[in-house]
């Protein structure tokens, strides 16, 4: 490579490693895994309010059709929920689309293991397999519909989200629970704190997926949230919910900015 071409590449922010640049200036290389898909005609737990991340209706929470359940090796007890992955089918001339195009999916569910089946026939989510059970729309961007399990490469990428983080509040008289969605940057949430007008900052624990909970009655107080992402960055969103908030309401707060 000539010195002039190298200078222009670096000036434009390009990379010599063929990696995706994450928001913190780091890079993540391609890793090997596998992929399958759920046919839309078969239905999916996420369409009726299920899903191990707790998102429910993915259209309401702005995750759309390009989603995937991930195996336990990737799920991390829910820490992967909301993370974005670039995936491509590789090394299979019959099933992969020509040129190995890529698609970016959001992790929105857990792909459960099946220890009674071999890894390459029904047990593809067995530990320590790194597997994506993709939506049909996402899978057809990289492979043919008649494919079964395909070899795939994947890498973490930054999530492009419109608007602020969304906080859906549930709970009861003695506890508060919040579902956090539409998270940009790495898409992950690893720590949450909540503050009422009459309290200090209260740490919340992960209940399941991206549902976070604390044992406190914060009714009648405006609520602020402190959210820490997977790369250690923290966003504080003050007075996200007004004093008269009600359970099952969703409010929008600040967002991670790349």
């Amino acid at each position: 490579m000539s010195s002039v071409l190298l200078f222009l590449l670096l000036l434009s922010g390009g990379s010599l490693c063929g990696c995706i640049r994450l928001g913190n200036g780091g890079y993540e290389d391609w890793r090997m895994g596998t992929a399958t898909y759920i046919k839309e005609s078969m239905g999916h737990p996420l369409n009726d309010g299920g899903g191990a991340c707790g998102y429910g209706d993915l259209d309401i929470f702005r995750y759309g059709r390009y989603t995937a359940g991930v195996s336990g090796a990737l799920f991390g007890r829910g820490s992967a929920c909301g993370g974005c992955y670039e995936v491509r089918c590789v090394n299979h001339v019959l099933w992969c689309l020509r040129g190995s195009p890529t698609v970016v999916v959001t992790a929105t569910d857990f792909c459960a293991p099946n220890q009674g089946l071999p890894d390459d026939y029904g047990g593809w989510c067995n530990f320590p397999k790194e597997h994506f059970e993709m939506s049909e729309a996402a899978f057809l961007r990289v492979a043919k519909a008649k494919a079964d399990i395909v070899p795939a490469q994947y890498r973490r990428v930054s999530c492009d989200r419109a608007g602020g983080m969304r906080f859906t509040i549930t709970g009861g008289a003695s506890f508060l629970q919040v579902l956090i969605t539409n998270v940009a940057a790495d898409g992950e949430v690893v720590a949450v704190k909540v503050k009422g007008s009459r309290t200090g900052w209260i740490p919340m624990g992960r209940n399941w997926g991206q549902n976070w909970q604390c044992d406190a009655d914060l009714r009648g107080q405006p609520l602020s949230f402190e959210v820490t992402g997977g790369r250690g960055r923290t966003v504080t969103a003050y007075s996200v919910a007004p004093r008269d908030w009600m359970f099952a309401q969703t409010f929008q707060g600040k967002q991670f900015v790349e």
Side-chain angles (χ1 to χ4, degrees):
M1 179 182 294
S2 71
S3 59
V4 174
L5 181 58
L6 176 61
F7 172 77
L8 291 175
L9 179 62
L10 296 175
L11 186 64
S12 63
S15 166
L16 298 179
C17 69
C19 307
I20 286 292
R21 181 163 184 159
L22 300 178
N24 67 348
Y27 293 85
E28 186 160 301
D29 294 328
W30 290 105
R31 295 173 58 91
M32 285 300 302
T34 52
T36 52
Y37 74 102
I38 295 290
K39 293 184 178 180
E40 292 181 358
S41 60
M42 295 171 57
H44 195 282
L46 293 176
N47 295 334
D48 58 12
C53 291
Y55 294 139
D57 191 320
L58 298 179
D59 290 325
I60 291 177
F61 290 106
R62 303 182 182 181
Y63 291 123
R65 302 177 66 201
Y66 294 157
T67 58
V70 295
S71 61
L74 298 172
F75 191 69
R77 298 183 178 180
S79 63
C81 291
C84 293
Y85 297 82
E86 186 179 20
V87 182
R88 64 186 180 190
C89 178
V90 296
N91 303 333
H92 204 303
V93 295
L94 293 180
W95 303 144
C96 297
L97 297 185
R98 182 175 298 178
S100 291
T102 67
V103 65
V104 175
V105 297
T106 300
T108 55
D109 201 1
F110 172 61
C111 182
N114 189 337
Q115 301 296 343
L117 295 175
D119 292 351
D120 59 350
Y121 190 77
W124 35 67
C125 289
N126 294 342
F127 191 84
K129 298 286 286 184
E130 298 177 354
H131 183 80
F132 294 82
E133 188 173 64
M134 302 168 69
S135 65
E136 184 174 9
F139 187 85
L140 295 183
R141 294 289 301 271
V142 299
K144 299 176 181 178
K146 59 184 178 180
D148 192 356
I149 181 172
V150 300
Q153 288 184 329
Y154 74 92
R155 56 187 174 185
R156 287 294 309 274
V157 295
S158 295
C159 299
D160 184 14
R161 308 291 187 213
M165 280 186 283
R166 294 164 66 86
F167 302 83
T168 301
I169 301 172
T170 56
S174 60
F175 74 99
L176 181 83
Q177 182 169 280
V178 59
L179 171 65
I180 303 177
T181 57
N182 201 51
V183 181
D186 59 10
E188 294 183 359
V189 176
V190 299
V192 180
K193 295 180 182 179
V194 62
K195 184 182 183 303
S197 58
R198 299 190 296 272
T199 73
W201 287 103
I202 303 172
M204 306 185 79
R206 189 189 304 275
N207 188 333
W208 58 286
Q210 285 297 11
N211 284 284
W212 296 78
Q213 181 176 318
C214 67
D215 295 328
D217 183 3
L218 299 178
R219 292 174 296 174
Q221 302 179 54
L223 301 181
S224 303
F225 292 95
E226 182 182 280
V227 179
T228 301
R231 298 197 296 273
R233 297 170 56 195
T234 297
V235 166
T236 304
Y238 291 101
S239 299
V240 169
R243 186 184 306 273
D244 58 351
W245 61 266
M246 300 178 65
F247 292 122
Q249 287 184 314
T250 299
F251 303 94
Q252 183 168 281
K254 290 177 64 176
Q255 182 62 275
F256 288 99
V257 178
E258 296 286 36

